[in-house]
Amino acid sequence: MIGSTPSRRQITGLIAAAGAFAAVPAFAQGFPDAPPDDAGSGEPPAQVPTGSDRSSHVTAPVVINGQGPYQFVVDTGANRSCLSQGLAQKLELPPGPVAAVNTLAGRRLRPTVAIERLQVGPRSQKRIHAPLLPLDDDVDGILAVDWLKGQRLVLGFQGRRLEITASQHEAARPNRVVAPARRRHGQLTIVDADLGGARINAMVDSGAQVSLGNAALRAALPRSGLERVRSERVMLESIAGERFSGDLLYLPFLRLGGLRLGNVPVVFAQTHVFALWGLADAPTLILGLDLLTQFTEVAVDFGRSTVRFDFAGGQVSESMQP
């Protein structure tokens, strides 16, 4: 079975919580935010190497107005790409309209800056407003799912690469599971998932270092026969410096599509983002990097609404291929 155990440093250090910057609408001023100008154009896929910051987030090189590259955290739990205050000052970017940013703690008004062109490999967005966030000095920004309307994101953890391609059909095979999903507020929710037989929602968030569960998921533990799972109180901090607490539990079994996972660490915390996604009262699990990095590759396809998990031979003791 796949299992993962976060270190004490991961639990108490700078941990990016799920969806810390989800759904960031800007007020209507200045030029409008535009989708990627190559969306659906058949342009060759973008493939770039990934790195990591000192908190172990996955980072990718991004070019802004022809300068860089700069290191952006890849965050599939965020709906809008953001910029660090330090980088905006360095590039002397002109101010844009105020934007409402939804973080773990709630809705916040943040300044934005105007960017003429933001590039990942050969793909780009033009004339956008990026909200500014107080990020660590080794992080230049957040790369969110606004890049991925109808596209497919591949996170190659084994090969340390990121790929953005056109949506495409993928079938399950040995050491590969493809889970159906549905679109919800710009995110993909895996629909074929359960905890001890109780149906749950599962979302992929590459910006979260640990997996998060809400109160409704914890309430489902007795129904799934897991009421005796012991918990430990932990303190977490988001990538934007917001601190919150939660209860760490190790779930002995969990099913995602055709996978059975064991010894899965989950921090239960009722943060603002569950309500933002309309999932406060539905059992929901945010799949963080502690779990995602146990796979060799994870592909999130926003066009076909699927999530693919690839794993090395012998990594999973039981696979339930559809």
Side-chain angles (χ1 to χ4, degrees):
M1 291 187 179
I2 289 178
S4 57
T5 304
S7 68
R8 177 67 58 179
R9 178 178 178 275
Q10 285 179 302
I11 288 297
T12 59
L14 295 176
I15 299 178
F21 314 108
V24 190
F27 297 126
Q29 300 180 36
F31 51 73
D33 295 295
D37 57 9
D38 62 340
S41 67
E43 187 170 331
Q47 183 169 315
V48 297
T50 59
S52 61
D53 67 2
R54 56 175 169 258
S55 298
S56 300
H57 303 114
V58 175
T59 61
V62 173
V63 174
I64 296 177
N65 295 345
Q67 299 185 62
Y70 304 104
Q71 293 305 308
F72 277 49
V73 170
V74 181
D75 189 352
T76 60
N79 282 8
R80 176 96 165 261
S81 296
C82 302
L83 208 66
S84 75
Q85 294 173 332
L87 181 58
Q89 293 171 357
K90 176 181 177 181
L91 297 179
E92 299 182 340
L93 297 173
V98 173
V101 177
N102 290 287
T103 72
L104 288 167
R107 186 180 175 92
R108 300 285 185 267
L109 294 179
R110 298 294 306 170
T112 70
V113 290
I115 298 175
E116 285 295 328
R117 188 178 185 89
L118 189 152
Q119 296 173 262
V120 179
R123 298 189 172 226
S124 66
Q125 286 182 318
K126 293 180 180 179
R127 295 171 61 83
I128 62 173
H129 290 122
L132 298 182
L133 296 170
L135 303 176
D136 286 344
D137 56 12
D138 64 334
V139 175
D140 297 311
I142 305 291
L143 191 64
V145 299
D146 49 358
W147 276 85
L148 302 170
K149 295 179 177 68
Q151 306 292 296
R152 170 177 166 269
L153 170 71
V154 179
L155 292 170
F157 294 110
Q158 187 175 64
R160 296 180 67 84
R161 80 184 198 288
L162 175 147
E163 188 175 354
I164 303 174
T165 76
S167 177
Q168 64 186 57
H169 172 72
E170 295 182 298
R173 67 187 191 196
N175 298 339
R176 169 175 291 179
V177 165
V178 180
R182 66 172 178 268
R183 279 168 283 195
R184 178 190 292 271
H185 303 295
Q187 308 295 326
L188 282 184
T189 303
I190 298 171
V191 295
D192 185 19
D194 67 69
L195 175 67
R199 286 281 180 162
I200 66 171
N201 300 294
M203 304 177 75
V204 174
D205 185 358
S206 62
Q209 274 192 303
V210 296
S211 299
L212 291 178
N214 63 359
L217 180 65
R218 190 166 187 176
L221 294 181
R223 298 196 300 273
S224 62
L226 300 177
E227 67 276 10
R228 296 183 180 179
V229 176
R230 300 182 65 178
S231 66
E232 175 187 355
R233 197 69 174 171
V234 295
M235 292 299 299
L236 307 179
E237 184 172 338
S238 78
I239 198 171
E242 298 167 316
R243 295 183 63 82
F244 65 103
S245 62
D247 292 328
L248 172 66
L249 287 78
Y250 288 82
L251 303 182
F253 51 86
L254 174 72
R255 187 179 67 83
L256 293 175
L259 291 171
R260 287 190 185 275
L261 313 178
N263 196 35
V264 179
V266 175
V267 174
F268 286 87
Q270 193 69 5
T271 68
H272 171 67
V273 294
F274 291 111
L276 179 67
W277 289 334
L279 293 170
D281 299 323
T284 303
L285 175 65
I286 306 296
L287 306 176
L289 277 176
D290 58 334
L291 182 59
L292 297 178
T293 53
Q294 303 300 306
F295 298 96
T296 58
E297 235 179 56
V298 175
V300 184
D301 194 323
F302 290 84
R304 292 184 176 268
S305 297
T306 60
V307 180
R308 168 171 63 80
F309 300 95
D310 287 9
F311 48 91
Q315 201 174 359
V316 176
S317 63
E318 182 177 359
S319 176
M320 303 185 302
Q321 301 286 355

